[in-house]
Amino acid sequence: MSDTNKTSYNEILSVVDAIHTNEHSVEWHGVTLNIKNTLTFAEMLAFSNEVVSTCFIDKTAEYVPEVKDFAVRCAILEYYGNIELPDDASKRYQMVYCSDIVQEITKYVNGEQLEPLLKSIDKKIAHVAQNNIEAFNKQMSEAVSKLTEVEDSLSSIFGGIDQDTITGLASTIANGNFDIEKLVDVAAKAADKDNSGHDKVVNIPEKGNSDG
C-alpha cells in the first residue's frame, strides 16, 4: 500500500478524543472520586510491577499468593481511582475489603485494558517465581560444590591423622582453645609416618601454647 493511501494516525486520534472520556467524576457516599478510565502505557507498567513486587518477600524472594488480590485492589485504587493510599497496610486492607469502593471504581474502568493486564500479571508472577526457584537451585548447587571442595581439602589435610588426633582436635575446638594458625603445621606433622608405618599421634596446640 502506498503512503498516499494510508490513514493518518492524527485522524484516528481525533476520533478517539471525540468518543473516549478518560476521566469520570463520581460521587461515592458523599466523596468525589476522580476515576481514570484507561491508564497510560507507563502507568500500566507501573501497576503491573507494583502488584508483582508486592507478592514477593524482598529478602527471601518467596512468593506470597495471599497478598495478590490485596495488591491488585490497592493498585486499582491508586492508579485508576487516583486515591492516596496510607502507608499502614492494615488501613489499606480496611479500605479495600470493608467497602465497595473497588467495585465502584471498576464500573468506570476500561475492561479492555484491565482484564488483559491482570492476566499478564499472573504470567509475570509465574515467570518470576520460576526464575527465583532456578536461582535458588543454582545457589544450592554452587554451595554444594564449594562444600565438596572444602571436604576434599580437609581430606587431603587430615588424611594421615589418626582417630585420637581428630578426637583431640574436636575437643579443642569445642573448648574454644583452638589456634587456627597452627592447624596446618599440626596436620603436616600428623600426616608424617614413622618407620613402623603407623601414623603419629600429634597434640593439637591450644592458644598461647607452642610445641617448640
Side-chain angles (χ1 to χ4, degrees):
M1 180 181 293
S2 66
D3 290 341
T4 56
N5 292 327
K6 288 185 177 179
T7 302
S8 169
Y9 65 84
N10 286 321
E11 293 183 78
I12 302 298
L13 290 176
S14 65
V15 173
V16 171
D17 290 339
I19 65 175
H20 180 252
T21 301
N22 198 44
E23 292 188 4
H24 300 272
S25 183
V26 179
E27 290 296 317
W28 176 77
H29 300 290
V31 177
T32 302
L33 303 176
N34 298 308
I35 302 170
K36 184 175 290 187
N37 176 264
T38 306
L39 303 180
T40 65
F41 184 72
E43 290 169 339
M44 179 269 296
L45 292 178
F47 183 112
S48 174
N49 290 334
E50 186 167 314
V51 171
V52 173
S53 63
T54 303
C55 292
F56 292 89
I57 299 175
D58 289 338
K59 293 183 178 180
T60 63
E62 178 186 358
Y63 173 48
V64 187
E66 297 88 345
V67 305
K68 185 205 161 200
D69 183 73
F70 174 54
V72 168
R73 288 171 181 254
C74 287
I76 288 175
L77 262 61
E78 181 179 1
Y79 288 92
Y80 286 103
N82 293 306
I83 295 174
E84 179 183 4
L85 297 179
D87 294 332
D88 189 334
S90 62
K91 292 181 179 179
R92 292 190 182 199
Y93 198 86
Q94 186 178 11
M95 287 175 63
V96 301
Y97 287 112
C98 297
S99 74
D100 62 344
I101 190 170
V102 174
Q103 291 83 351
E104 183 67 21
I105 290 173
T106 53
K107 291 178 183 179
Y108 302 92
V109 166
N110 184 353
E112 291 295 318
Q113 179 185 61
L114 182 58
E115 291 176 13
L117 176 56
L118 296 181
K119 291 180 180 179
S120 69
I121 287 173
D122 287 338
K123 292 180 180 179
K124 189 170 184 177
I125 287 174
H127 177 72
V128 172
Q130 182 60 37
N131 283 350
N132 289 346
I133 291 173
E134 292 175 359
F136 175 78
N137 289 340
K138 182 180 179 181
Q139 290 176 349
M140 290 300 297
S141 177
E142 291 175 350
V144 170
S145 178
K146 289 185 180 297
L147 286 174
T148 301
E149 292 177 5
V150 171
E151 182 181 7
D152 292 342
S153 298
L154 291 176
S155 295
S156 66
I157 292 175
F158 295 107
I161 301 177
D162 61 20
Q163 185 61 45
D164 290 338
T165 301
I166 294 175
T167 301
L169 174 60
S171 176
T172 302
I173 293 174
N175 292 332
N177 295 320
F178 178 61
D179 191 337
I180 189 64
E181 294 180 357
K182 298 177 182 177
L183 172 60
V184 176
D185 181 57
V186 170
K189 290 179 180 179
D192 290 339
K193 303 287 185 178
D194 61 19
N195 294 331
S196 65
H198 296 292
D199 293 333
K200 293 180 180 180
V201 176
V202 179
N203 292 325
I204 302 300
E206 297 183 358
K207 291 181 180 178
N209 296 331
S210 64
D211 53 0

